[in-house]
Amino acid sequence: MIKAIATDMDGTFLNSNNTYDKARFEAIYKQLVDQNIKFIVASGNQYAQLKSFFPEKDGTITYISENGAIIGQSGQLQSIASFPHEFIQEVLDDLIYRTNNNEFILCGAKSAYLLKAASSHFKNFAKKYYYKLAEVDTLNPLPDDTLVKIALDVGIEKAELIVDQLNKKYAHQLLAVSSGHGSIDITIPEINKGSTLAKLLNKWSIQPNELLAFGDANNDLEMIALTKHSYAMQNSTSNKVRQTAQHQAPSNDESGVLSVIESYLFE
């Protein structure tokens, strides 16, 4: 019996227009509430942005944001895992300023930050995913915030190479993962969607195989590895995701997540 559902957002729950079938979801969500099934949004994106997709449901949806670093519910941040400021400064100075790459976002619990020197294209990209976003002249010194992630946009052709370089140079200090479409998340080692979700399931006394999970990118791997009820989206371009998931869902543009949930609810 399914007691919890966890889904990624971009490329998974959301379609290519960055939305979803709201009327269909409302009918499904009513069934989830009636059957006491937990609904968890698990994303690399910002907590404030994730909440905006589900107005008036903040009390009953659990949000795992920033790839597991932040848990939010009922309008409150429940827990935060963070990097030491000194290490973040080292990474920014060494990897970003040294290469003159301004296309990155520093993610904090209060806000996300990007340089005013970033391109207008990247700024428009950032505004799509970060509702609390500040433009700053410099990130040395760092903002007064709890820092949880660095997000890079490097292009699809460079993403895997840069992920490997980061993980080799900063082994055990950070974990770089591809989040799809040429984006990279620099995250806290041992903190990911799967590890945070596992803690929540344990807290709720829910077994991993009572979880239904959906994903499309490599930052979903640990989450979909938790359960036999795991689905890779048909539109996923990650071989690792396809190999890890036990099943395949229709594409995000076919409301694949909703279709599979309906098959479990109404079987």
Side-chain angles (χ1 to χ4, degrees):
M1 179 180 176
I2 296 300
K3 296 183 180 180
I5 299 170
T7 180
D8 171 53
M9 289 294 280
D10 298 310
T12 302
F13 189 84
L14 299 177
N15 60 31
S16 297
N17 294 318
N18 207 41
T19 187
Y20 62 95
D21 187 334
K22 293 183 173 61
R24 190 175 178 184
F25 177 70
E26 285 293 333
I28 290 171
Y29 191 74
K30 183 178 185 302
Q31 291 290 323
L32 299 182
V33 172
D34 289 346
Q35 297 182 37
N36 196 30
I37 297 173
K38 307 281 188 184
F39 187 74
I40 305 112
V41 173
S43 172
N45 293 342
Q46 189 182 52
Y47 175 52
Q49 187 249 17
L50 297 178
K51 289 198 304 177
S52 72
F53 287 105
F54 305 97
E56 301 177 1
K57 290 184 173 60
D58 197 38
T60 51
I61 290 179
T62 299
Y63 298 92
I64 297 175
S65 64
E66 307 289 7
N67 279 338
I70 293 177
I71 301 173
Q73 191 176 43
S74 302
Q76 301 292 325
L77 299 183
Q78 304 296 325
S79 68
I80 304 171
S82 62
F83 280 110
H85 271 220
E86 297 79 6
F87 178 65
I88 287 288
Q89 194 72 73
E90 177 186 349
V91 173
L92 293 178
D93 290 347
D94 184 34
L95 293 181
I96 297 171
Y97 294 127
R98 180 171 55 82
T99 59
N100 295 314
N101 180 3
N102 294 321
E103 312 291 79
F104 70 93
I105 301 163
L106 178 61
C107 306
K110 297 177 185 176
S111 177
Y113 307 87
L114 81 169
L115 292 173
K116 291 180 180 178
S119 68
S120 58
H121 172 77
F122 185 71
K123 289 178 182 179
N124 289 332
F125 165 83
K127 290 173 183 176
K128 180 180 177 181
Y129 297 103
Y130 296 89
Y131 279 36
K132 293 183 178 180
L133 182 65
E135 293 188 27
V136 295
D137 291 314
T138 179
L139 284 168
N140 191 355
L142 293 169
D144 181 19
D145 201 345
T146 304
L147 304 176
V148 299
K149 190 184 74 178
I150 301 172
L152 306 174
D153 182 39
V154 299
I156 294 173
E157 68 284 352
K158 296 180 181 178
E160 289 303 325
L161 175 62
I162 293 175
V163 163
D164 289 341
Q165 290 174 341
L166 288 169
N167 286 330
K168 287 177 182 177
K169 183 164 186 177
Y170 292 97
H172 311 299
Q173 295 177 283
L174 61 73
L175 178 65
V177 293
S178 171
S179 54
H181 312 290
S183 297
I184 295 172
D185 289 335
I186 298 176
T187 63
I188 302 164
E190 309 303 326
I191 300 292
N192 53 62
K193 295 180 187 182
S195 65
T196 299
L197 181 55
K199 291 177 183 178
L200 286 172
L201 295 179
N202 184 61
K203 174 183 176 182
W204 295 329
S205 298
I206 295 175
Q207 298 301 310
N209 281 333
E210 294 173 322
L211 169 72
L212 177 59
F214 302 88
D216 76 306
N218 288 354
N219 61 342
D220 299 315
L221 286 171
E222 292 86 358
M223 177 172 72
I224 61 177
L226 285 175
T227 177
K228 65 181 181 181
H229 303 290
S230 56
Y231 284 79
M233 306 307 294
Q234 190 274 331
N235 52 285
S236 173
T237 59
S238 169
N239 289 330
K240 290 181 180 178
V241 170
R242 290 176 178 274
Q243 291 165 2
T244 302
Q246 299 295 308
H247 310 280
Q248 180 173 288
S251 77
N252 62 325
D253 286 330
E254 298 174 280
S255 297
V257 170
L258 300 185
S259 295
V260 172
I261 293 175
E262 286 170 340
S263 73
Y264 277 83
L265 288 178
F266 306 121
E267 62 182 0

